[in-house]
Amino acid sequence: MYYNKLILALLAVLLIQCSDKSQFSRSIELNGQSNFRDIGHYTNRDGQLVKNGMIYRSGALSELDSLDIEKLDQLEIKTVVSFLIPGEIKKYGEDRLPSDVNYFNFPIEGQNNEAEHVLQARIDGDFSRVPSTFNYNIHKLLIEDGKEAYKALFKLMADENNYPIVFHCSHGVHRTGTATALIQMMLDVPWEYISEDYILSNQCRSEENTARIQQLNELAQNNTNISDLDSNAQNISSFYNLEEAYIEGSAIAIKSNYGTVNNYLNQLGINRNDIKTIKSILLE
């Protein structure tokens, strides 16, 4: 009897872990965006579950078709937050959304025009200003560069009338990845799950990344301004193929400069009551 109970308990733990780590329980299939997914369904350190169907991360929503828009309507999305800068919106187009969705643009560009550098690199294939260390460094810098945008997002999250919420950047990786990590850290989700959630983008964007890397290398071959094609190819690959260590830049910046994520949020103007309200909305 004892061993039967022990086996059942172990099975229950495994089921919880599998559900926490499953891409398929959170990825929302859309024709016009491969990296749209629910950031709920993770168990935090206190055994509380982050609710499903409340908050989603994504890449740009400008290529959604009518079926995608209908799906967002079925998900009852009320609020969409975009971190895109004007140049990106000009390139990709405006988000295509259900008519009753509240849309907010809180652009994150960076102190050194990082978003512009990436935008230009995607046009001409020259990734010399997007080195292999870019992903780690950008997540570290976003803690400061994204302050105003992240503050605005958390303020929206403190009002239950704004849910369900979608937030996104161009590909749902850097600005969106840092925002996701901040939310999950605040909700006390273990770092193991936060980093695994981050690299799910590799799976969601696998086909798109492969095609994009090939296209960019072809552009680079025809760009006479690029002196080292091998180094450039490595930069392209490093940018698109994510590693768990990249998102650690955000966690290290928080710990080094603020101690805890709650201290960071307090500095932004997200007070203790806001955090308590968000937790009450998103945890069960």
Side-chain angles (χ1 to χ4, degrees):
M1 180 68 70
Y2 170 78
Y3 290 107
N4 287 340
K5 288 182 178 180
L6 180 60
I7 290 170
L8 287 172
L10 288 172
L11 285 172
V13 170
L14 287 171
L15 284 171
I16 291 172
Q17 290 178 340
C18 288
S19 65
D20 278 348
K21 299 177 182 179
S22 172
Q23 172 194 357
F24 303 103
S25 65
R26 63 188 70 259
S27 184
I28 309 297
E29 186 176 347
L30 298 175
N31 297 319
Q33 176 49 244
S34 61
N35 203 17
F36 189 108
R37 59 186 195 264
D38 194 326
I39 68 168
H41 208 67
Y42 286 111
T43 303
N44 74 4
R45 292 184 182 86
D46 295 324
Q48 296 173 292
L49 191 68
V50 182
K51 294 178 184 176
N52 290 333
M54 294 293 285
I55 190 159
Y56 302 86
R57 58 180 292 171
S58 181
L61 301 174
S62 53
E63 295 186 5
L64 301 191
D65 61 20
S66 58
L67 292 177
D68 294 335
I69 294 172
E70 183 179 341
K71 187 167 289 188
L72 293 193
D73 207 21
Q74 291 170 354
L75 292 173
E76 300 182 341
I77 302 301
K78 289 185 180 178
T79 304
V80 169
V81 172
S82 167
F83 298 134
L84 298 184
I85 64 173
E88 291 173 306
I89 295 174
K90 182 178 179 180
K91 177 185 177 183
Y92 300 120
E94 300 281 349
D95 284 355
R96 301 193 68 232
L97 306 169
S99 59
D100 58 347
V101 168
N102 292 315
Y103 169 82
F104 298 89
N105 179 218
F106 305 136
I108 303 175
E109 183 165 6
Q111 297 176 5
N112 299 309
N113 299 319
E114 289 89 357
E116 285 287 356
H117 292 166
V118 172
L119 186 60
Q120 184 59 42
R122 287 170 175 156
I123 293 171
D124 60 21
D126 184 354
F127 272 68
S128 59
R129 291 190 293 180
V130 188
S132 58
T133 55
F134 179 91
N135 284 333
Y136 174 86
N137 289 335
I138 199 65
H139 285 297
K140 187 176 180 180
L141 289 170
L142 278 167
I143 294 302
E144 302 301 327
D145 296 344
K147 274 184 172 180
E148 290 303 314
Y150 295 148
K151 173 184 177 179
L153 172 63
F154 274 87
K155 283 295 184 182
L156 288 173
M157 290 170 57
D159 184 347
E160 63 181 349
N161 294 314
N162 292 324
Y163 290 85
I165 296 172
V166 180
F167 59 93
H168 76 83
C169 54
S170 57
H171 292 77
V173 175
H174 296 105
R175 291 162 286 184
T176 295
T178 297
T180 303
L182 290 172
I183 293 167
Q184 293 172 330
M185 289 167 71
M186 180 205 64
L187 296 174
D188 300 314
V189 173
W191 187 256
E192 173 193 0
Y193 294 160
I194 295 174
S195 59
E196 288 180 358
D197 186 271
Y198 173 71
I199 62 169
L200 278 179
S201 290
N202 285 340
Q203 296 179 36
C204 293
R205 291 176 43 80
S206 176
E207 184 176 338
E208 184 178 349
N209 282 348
T210 299
R212 192 69 173 124
I213 290 170
Q214 180 179 347
Q215 180 190 36
L216 288 167
N217 278 313
E218 289 173 357
L219 281 173
Q221 291 285 342
N222 296 317
N223 189 336
T224 57
N225 292 322
I226 301 173
S227 58
D228 189 342
L229 287 171
D230 289 339
S231 176
N232 195 74
Q234 180 57 52
N235 289 347
I236 293 171
S237 178
S238 296
F239 180 79
Y240 282 95
N241 295 312
L242 305 179
E243 298 178 15
E244 290 184 17
Y246 293 163
I247 192 60
E248 289 177 6
S250 295
I252 289 170
I254 291 289
K255 185 175 181 179
S256 298
N257 299 322
Y258 300 93
T260 69
V261 70
N262 282 4
N263 287 344
Y264 171 75
L265 293 173
N266 291 160
Q267 287 284 326
L268 299 189
I270 309 301
N271 60 41
R272 190 175 303 174
N273 287 334
D274 292 329
I275 293 171
K276 184 178 179 181
T277 298
I278 294 170
K279 285 186 172 183
S280 71
I281 293 170
L282 291 178
L283 294 174
E284 60 183 5

